[in-house]
């Protein structure tokens, strides 16, 4: 399998990258890890004439805790950078563990978190946990910078709300009142398989009561989705087995899965029911795992 | 990467320097040259295999700056200025590497198509984690598919290469 011809640029800064994209608006694309883009180009689904590589732009690959901002993950950080990051492991092991469920080692060493978001695949593994933790993406374009909650990045399968000249530069996980979070992925194999269902939950527990909750679902709608009815149902209630069981049922009812070669709609809904309950249980009992 | 020439068809050809198995190669490549094809066709290092060419099978695994990656999803130009280790670079002398020896000893190779990638994943694993558990070995090679051996002998070989007792 060969790739069509294209020109390749390695801009030295985000501004230069955005300018290149703006000047070649209909024929240029960002390449980060290339693990999503290159297979598509090999299949002839995309044939950009220009690739703008962002992986070597200084600062785009660092992960750090910034006081008053939160955990800041550069968009060109690889999935394995997140798996092994001490900052992430210490603050939100749930994020590091979610990253570890993705693909296999080789792909995790190349693929990046920015690419995972912008590829906007419904089954992508990073969006649910980032959405549960209320993360935002910093987006830079020729006209400056803006912030978008991660959940508002997507607008359809393989579609997101980025202008063609814009780049995600970082993902920020803000400081949390949430006391626990986790991500559960169901896939047909333990490695190298996409999620049939992904469920992330974050909860704030006080006096055996759920003070706040965020639940995000992957692979069960055209985009990674918040389970808002489930969240509303949970907030303010005393924790019990029945409560979590009911929350699972509500999540199963509000998701919008399809039947495809990986699983039927019915099966996916049932997985959402069970995994929502398990994710909530774990986040309640074990903190950010 | 600023160095390129434009050929008669208007295609850019870029000058890259890639350190492969300790040797610096300076070559002219098109932007669309995949690292796996660069290794196999430009450098005649045909030990690196191509299976799926889509990132799924791991036969094209090489170490880029010490980390296992699928060379079918990396552009040669992206490796400019970087260090690549292929299966040809695993044995440091005329002798085979310990992992290679154990693969032979434990029958971890049948057709051999997966072996180059498998051994490089094992190499990366043992470099970072010299005494892995069996579970860690399984995880370490989970990006490498083998259609022949059923994996058991591969896992035994890697455990043996780490100097550990091999379960039956
Ligand atoms: C074998 C295999 C298994 C996989 N398994 C999984 C899995 O289990 N779970 C999962 O979630 N994914 C999986 N993937 C998909 C993919 O590896 C990930 O989504 C990865 O994180 C993509 O990142 P990348 O840097 O390689 O993206 P690229 O291919 O570089 O880019 C993807 C898209 O995003 C754009 N882009 C990239 N970065 C930015 C940015 N910072 N700003 C703006 N646009 C940008 C590109 O223009 C392109 O359109 C798998 C892929 C393969 C090949
Ligand atoms: S040939 Fe590269 S992963 Fe299969
Ligand atoms: S030995 Fe044949 S594919 Fe592994």
């Amino acid at each position: 399998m060969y790739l069509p011809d294209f020109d390749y640029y390695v801009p030295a800064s985000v501004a230069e990258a955005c300018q290149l994209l703006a000047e070649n608006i209909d024929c240029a694309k960002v390449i980060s890890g290339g693990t999503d883009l290159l297979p598509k180009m090999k299949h002839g689904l995309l044939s950009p004439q220009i690739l703008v590589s962002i992986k070597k732009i200084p600062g785009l690959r660092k992960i750090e805790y910034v006081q008053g901002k939160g955990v800041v993950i550069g968009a060109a950080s690889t999935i394995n950078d997140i798996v092994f990051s001490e900052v992430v492991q210490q603050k939100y092991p749930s994020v590091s563990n979610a990253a570890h469920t993705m693909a296999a080692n080789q792909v995790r060493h190349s693929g990046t978190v920015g690419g995972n978001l912008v590829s906007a695949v419904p089954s992508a593994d990073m969006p649910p946990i980032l959405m549960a933790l209320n993360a935002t993406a910093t987006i830079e374009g020729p006209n400056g910078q803006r912030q978008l909650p991660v959940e508002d990045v997507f607008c359809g399968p393989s579609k997101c709300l980025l202008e063609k000249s814009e780049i995600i530069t970082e993902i920020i996980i803000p400081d949390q009142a949430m006391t626990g979070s986790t991500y559960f992925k169901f896939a047909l194999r333990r490695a190298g398989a996409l999620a049939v269902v992904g469920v992330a939950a974050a909860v704030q527990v006080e006096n055996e009561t759920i003070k706040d909750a965020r639940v995000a679902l992957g692979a069960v709608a055209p985009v990674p989705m918040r389970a808002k009815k489930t969240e509303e149902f949970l907030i303010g209630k005393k924790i019990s087995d029945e409560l979590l069981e009911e929350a699972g049922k509500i999540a199963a009812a509000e998701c919008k899965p399809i039947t495809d070669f990986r699983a039927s709609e019915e099966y996916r809904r049932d997985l959402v029911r069970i995994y929502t309950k398990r994710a909530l249980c774990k986040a309640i009992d074990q903190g950010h795992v | 990467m600023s160095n390129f020439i434009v050929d008669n068809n208007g295609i850019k050809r870029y000058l890259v320097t890639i350190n492969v198995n300790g040797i610096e190669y300076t070559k002219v490549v098109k932007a669309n040259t995949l690292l796996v094809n660069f290794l196999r066709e430009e450098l005649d290092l045909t030990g690196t295999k191509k299976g799926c060419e889509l990132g799924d099978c791991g036969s094209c695994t090489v170490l880029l700056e010490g980390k296992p990656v699928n060379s079918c999803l990396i552009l040669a130009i992206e490796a400019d200025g970087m260090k690549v280790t292929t299966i040809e670079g695993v044995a440091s002398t005329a002798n085979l590497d310990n992992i290679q020896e154990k693969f032979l000893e434990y029958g971890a190779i049948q057709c051999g198509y997966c072996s180059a990638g498998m051994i490089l994943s094992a190499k990366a694993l043992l470099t970072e984690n010299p005494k892995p558990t069996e579970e860690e070995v399984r995880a370490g090679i989970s990006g490498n598919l083998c259609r022949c051996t059923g994996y058991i002998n591969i896992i035994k070989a890697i455990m043996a290469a780490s100097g550990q007792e091999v379960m039956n």
Side-chain angles (χ1 to χ4, degrees), chain A residues 21 29-40 46 54-55 60 75-77 79 101-104 107-108 110-121 123-127 162 166-170 185 192-195, chain B residues 54-57 70 73:
Chain A
L21 292 168
K29 258 193 141 357
V30 168
I31 180 167
S32 189
T35 61
D36 176 71
L37 185 63
L38 296 181
K40 283 187 182 145
L46 290 171
I54 59 165
K55 240 185 150 166
L60 236 51
S77 304
I79 301 298
T101 67
M102 202 194 105
V107 174
R108 289 197 296 269
S110 304
T112 65
V113 62
N116 197 248
L117 298 191
V118 179
S119 58
V121 177
S123 63
D125 287 309
M126 295 314 295
L162 244 60
E166 286 183 320
I167 293 174
I168 294 187
T169 55
E170 63 187 17
K185 169 177 180 173
L194 298 181
Chain B
L54 292 169
D56 286 301
C57 76
N70 293 322
L73 293 187

Side-chain angles (χ1 to χ4, degrees), chain A residues 5-7, chain B residues 5-13 30-32:
Chain A
D5 276 308
F6 51 82
D7 285 354
Chain B
I5 50 165
V6 183
D7 71 15
N8 291 341
N9 299 320
I11 305 286
K12 284 185 184 154
R13 288 166 193 274
K30 293 205 299 174
N32 65 353

Side-chain angles (χ1 to χ4, degrees), chain B residues 34-109:
Chain B
L34 292 159
L35 181 59
V36 66
N37 293 334
F38 175 82
L39 296 168
R40 291 177 54 85
E41 292 163 18
E42 288 285 323
L43 305 187
D44 291 339
L45 295 172
T46 53
T48 306
K49 298 293 185 258
K50 293 200 273 182
C52 66
E53 297 186 56
L54 292 169
D56 286 301
C57 76
S59 6
C60 64
T61 302
V62 299
L63 306 185
L64 187 61
E65 297 290 328
K67 309 275 189 236
V69 294
N70 293 322
S71 60
C72 70
L73 293 187
I74 307 261
L75 302 172
I77 201 169
E78 289 177 283
D80 187 27
M82 297 175 99
K83 275 196 190 121
V84 176
T85 306
T86 70
I87 190 66
E88 289 88 348
V90 168
S92 49
T93 59
N95 298 325
L96 291 179
D97 183 83
N98 182 31
I99 299 173
Q100 292 171 311
E101 291 286 2
K102 297 297 178 205
F103 265 61
L104 291 177
E105 191 179 319
Y106 282 83
I109 296 178

Side-chain angles (χ1 to χ4, degrees), chain A residues 1-220:
Chain A
M1 281 181 165
Y2 289 82
L3 291 165
D5 276 308
F6 51 82
D7 285 354
Y8 183 83
Y9 290 91
V10 188
S13 66
V14 172
E16 195 188 320
C18 294
Q19 194 190 337
L20 273 165
L21 292 168
E23 283 167 3
N24 303 282
I25 200 85
D26 285 319
C27 59
K29 258 193 141 357
V30 168
I31 180 167
S32 189
T35 61
D36 176 71
L37 185 63
L38 296 181
K40 283 187 182 145
M41 288 173 66
K42 287 183 179 190
H43 281 131
L45 299 173
L46 290 171
S47 40
Q49 282 153 33
I50 292 175
L51 289 186
V52 178
S53 171
I54 59 165
K55 240 185 150 166
K56 288 179 185 163
I57 296 178
L60 236 51
R61 202 181 159 177
K62 67 174 176 226
I63 302 179
E64 57 185 357
Y65 179 73
V66 180
Q67 208 74 41
K69 210 170 167 189
V71 173
V72 181
I73 304 176
S77 304
T78 66
I79 301 298
N80 263 348
D81 288 344
I82 297 175
V83 173
F84 298 116
S85 155
E86 277 175 27
V87 174
V88 178
Q89 279 182 358
Q90 190 207 333
K91 283 250 165 204
Y92 307 110
S94 51
V95 174
S96 153
N97 292 337
H100 193 257
T101 67
M102 202 194 105
N105 210 14
Q106 290 93 323
V107 174
R108 289 197 296 269
H109 274 310
S110 304
T112 65
V113 62
N116 197 248
L117 298 191
V118 179
S119 58
V121 177
S123 63
D125 287 309
M126 295 314 295
I129 189 70
L130 293 175
M131 284 158 60
L133 292 171
N134 204 12
T136 57
T138 305
I139 298 170
E140 252 178 83
N143 305 321
Q145 210 185 63
R146 61 187 176 120
Q147 298 284 333
L148 206 58
V150 166
E151 64 186 83
D152 295 338
V153 167
F154 319 105
C155 60
S158 305
K159 288 205 184 76
C160 51
L161 286 175
L162 244 60
E163 301 292 334
K164 286 179 180 168
S165 55
E166 286 183 320
I167 293 174
I168 294 187
T169 55
E170 63 187 17
I171 287 98
I172 305 169
I173 308 175
D175 289 336
Q176 303 281 321
M178 295 296 187
T179 50
S181 64
T182 196
Y183 174 66
F184 268 70
K185 169 177 180 173
F186 181 85
L188 299 182
R189 295 181 305 278
R190 261 192 285 167
L194 298 181
V196 170
V197 159
V199 178
V203 289
Q204 183 188 357
V205 179
E206 233 178 73
N207 302 328
E208 307 279 292
T209 303
I210 300 199
K211 217 175 151 212
D212 196 6
R214 292 169 69 96
V215 177
L217 309 174
V220 290

Side-chain angles (χ1 to χ4, degrees), chain B residues 108-115 118 145-151 154:
Chain B
I109 296 178
Q110 287 184 22
C111 79
Y113 206 81
C114 70
S115 308
M118 213 44 109
L145 303 185
C146 174
R147 304 307 303 267
C148 306
T149 64
Y151 301 100
I154 294 176

